[in-house]
């Protein structure tokens, strides 16, 4: 059910040297305005996805226990030990970066190919057969991918620790404001956690690359609120009613997207101090930006896919 990354996924996941240079320039400029900030790096030899010799085109996280190189008991013990010994300017977290299941825009993208999609079809709401904008829903496959992740998480929680079946269960949850990500979070975690108790936070900064593509325009706040707040979701403060960021004539660059994610990580490591294991349900472009901001190698993720990252954050004072 889970899909390996398609050729389009692999193409879209690549980060050029120019993207990295522009991103670093933007980060340096942003950091120069702050009194202090966090920098990020990946703790090595924890997950196969961070290794340069892991083939992203064939890797299957479902068959390979998230790509763990050690047992979960050892990984979590290491996480706890590192945090117990860390100075006030150092902290560690385990992040599960989840991509939404297949949406109707993914069908459209596959149907028309990358060039025609970017040049024409992505700017429309559909083609008379498929509706992909704004804020498209999950397809039946996408819904089933979330359900498959639900089964996978259950198997991981029960079968991969000698100590505690809740060992790797995230204690904080975040989601993009686009419905395909929120619905994937619900489908993935249904009956494992109680959504009304964990209160996932919907954050604008976690959305997909912004602009031009109608599939990446979010719904009004009132619609998101009506649909998801009764389930237990919280919308972050300052969230505007209309999508003020979406432009029909400009699409965010990779570096701009990554800087937006870098800012979200500043929030995460400043405000979420007592949660070491965190779930973020977003998009392929957002995961690309997250991996870039964390110093991780680029890694293509199919619809419904998950990439775990063991992160070291260091606080720098200007």
């Amino acid at each position: 059910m889970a899909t390996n990354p398609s050729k389009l996924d692999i193409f879209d996941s690549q980060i050029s040297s120019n993207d990295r240079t522009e991103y670093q320039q933007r980060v340096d400029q942003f950091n120069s305005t702050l009194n202090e900030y966090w920098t990020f790096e990946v703790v090595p030899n924890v997950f196969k996805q961070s290794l340069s010799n892991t083939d992203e085109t064939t890797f299957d996280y479902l068959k390979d226990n998230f790509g763990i190189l050690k047992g979960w008991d050892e990984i979590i013990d290491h996480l706890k030990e590192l945090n117990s010994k860390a100075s006030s300017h150092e902290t560690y977290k385990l992040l599960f970066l989840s991509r939404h299941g297949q949406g109707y825009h993914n069908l459209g993208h596959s149907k028309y190919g990358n060039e025609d999609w970017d040049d024409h079809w992505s700017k429309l709401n559909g083609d008379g057969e498929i509706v992909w904008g704004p804020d498209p829903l999950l397809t039946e496959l996408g819904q089933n991918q979330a359900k498959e992740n639900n089964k996978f998480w259950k198997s991981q929680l029960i079968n991969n620790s000698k100590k505690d079946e809740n060992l790797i269960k995230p204690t904080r949850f975040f989601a993009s404001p686009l419905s395909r990500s929120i619905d994937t979070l619900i489908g993935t975690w249904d009956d494992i956690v109680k959504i009304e108790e964990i209160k996932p936070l919907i954050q604008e900064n976690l959305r997909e690359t912004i602009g031009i593509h109608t599939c990446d325009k979010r719904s009004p706040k009132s619609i998101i609120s009506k649909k998801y707040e009764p389930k237990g979701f919280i919308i972050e403060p300052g969230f505007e009613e209309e999508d003020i960021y979406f432009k029909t004539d400009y699409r965010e660059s990779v570096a701009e997207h990554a800087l937006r994610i870098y800012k979200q990580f500043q929030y995460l490591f400043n405000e979420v101090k007592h949660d070491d294991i965190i779930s973020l349900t977003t998009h392929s472009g957002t995961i690309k930006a997250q991996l870039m901001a964390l110093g991780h190698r680029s890694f293509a993720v199919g619809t419904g896919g998950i990439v775990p990252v063991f992160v070291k954050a260091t606080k720098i004072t200007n």
Side-chain angles (χ1 to χ4, degrees):
M1 188 73 64
T3 58
N4 285 334
S6 67
K7 291 181 179 179
L8 293 174
D9 293 330
I10 295 167
F11 176 79
D12 287 342
S13 72
Q14 300 307 303
I15 303 171
S16 72
S17 58
N18 287 340
D19 289 335
R20 293 188 186 278
T21 299
E22 182 189 347
Y23 166 69
Q24 193 58 55
Q25 291 172 344
R26 290 179 179 274
V27 165
D28 290 344
Q29 183 177 13
F30 172 70
N31 287 342
S32 70
T33 67
L34 305 176
N35 293 324
E36 57 184 24
Y37 56 89
W38 295 97
T39 62
F40 310 105
E41 59 188 289
V42 177
V43 177
N45 301 317
V46 180
F47 298 105
K48 293 180 181 178
Q49 293 91 322
S50 67
L51 303 180
S52 60
N53 61 354
T54 299
D55 186 350
E56 61 187 334
T57 66
T58 59
F59 182 80
D60 188 337
Y61 69 98
L62 293 174
K63 295 179 180 178
D64 209 356
N65 290 339
F66 277 125
I68 58 175
L69 292 168
K70 307 170 183 177
W72 277 122
D73 290 314
E74 185 176 352
I75 291 172
I76 301 305
D77 283 347
H78 188 44
L79 175 65
K80 292 178 179 178
E81 181 182 13
L82 287 171
N83 276 325
S84 69
K85 296 180 178 179
S87 70
S88 60
H89 285 71
E90 186 177 281
T91 189
Y92 298 80
K93 293 187 186 296
L94 175 57
L95 307 181
F96 288 97
L97 310 180
S98 303
R99 182 184 178 186
H100 63 77
Q102 186 193 65
Y104 282 99
H105 64 301
N106 298 124
L107 285 183
H109 197 175
S110 298
K111 180 178 180 179
Y112 292 106
N114 201 59
E115 185 174 350
D116 285 347
W117 176 257
D118 283 344
D119 290 345
H120 178 70
W121 293 105
S122 65
K123 302 171 186 178
L124 306 179
N125 288 336
D127 63 356
E129 295 180 355
I130 306 171
V131 177
W132 56 66
D135 200 5
L137 301 175
L138 294 175
T139 65
E140 183 177 358
L141 173 59
Q143 296 172 33
N144 288 333
Q145 287 172 333
K147 292 177 182 177
E148 185 176 38
N149 278 335
N150 179 273
K151 294 179 182 178
F152 176 63
W153 265 107
K154 288 176 180 176
S155 71
Q156 289 286 304
L157 292 170
I158 294 172
N159 298 326
N160 288 285
S161 172
K162 299 175 182 178
K163 300 176 181 178
D164 179 5
E165 71 177 49
N166 294 320
L167 190 71
I168 62 168
K169 185 188 294 183
T171 53
R172 289 291 294 272
F173 295 77
F174 297 83
S176 156
L178 292 160
S179 61
R180 56 192 185 268
S181 292
I182 303 174
D183 289 336
T184 297
L185 189 157
I186 294 171
T188 298
W189 292 100
D190 180 46
D191 78 7
I192 299 177
V193 299
K194 293 182 178 179
I195 300 295
E196 66 273 14
E197 292 181 0
I198 63 169
K199 300 185 183 305
L201 183 63
I202 296 171
Q203 288 188 302
E204 194 85 86
N205 271 345
L206 287 175
R207 61 190 290 180
E208 182 58 290
T209 309
I210 302 171
I212 298 180
H213 295 192
T214 63
C215 58
D216 300 327
K217 183 177 182 180
R218 69 161 171 83
S219 297
K221 178 182 178 181
S222 55
I223 291 178
I224 299 171
S225 176
K226 182 178 180 181
K227 190 174 181 181
Y228 296 112
E229 284 187 327
K231 298 179 184 295
F233 285 82
I234 295 175
I235 300 174
E236 68 179 345
F239 197 89
E240 299 284 348
E241 171 62 19
E242 298 298 332
D243 188 349
I244 62 173
Y245 300 104
F246 184 86
K247 308 296 182 185
T248 59
D249 59 353
Y250 181 77
R251 187 157 176 83
E252 201 174 27
S253 70
V254 173
E256 288 171 331
H257 191 171
L259 177 62
R260 168 159 60 88
I261 291 301
Y262 179 80
K263 293 176 180 179
Q264 194 273 340
F265 281 145
Q266 297 300 317
Y267 163 85
L268 191 67
F269 281 82
N270 278 324
E271 302 299 328
V272 186
K273 297 179 180 179
H274 302 297
D275 296 270
D276 297 337
I277 305 177
I278 295 172
S279 168
L280 302 104
T281 307
T282 63
H283 309 263
S284 60
T286 305
I287 291 175
K288 174 181 178 176
Q290 288 170 328
L291 296 179
M292 187 174 180
L294 293 172
H296 193 286
R297 60 166 287 198
S298 62
F299 199 88
V301 185
T303 52
I306 303 171
V307 180
V309 185
F310 197 128
V311 180
K312 176 185 178 181
T314 304
K315 184 179 287 187
I316 306 297
T317 301
N318 281 332

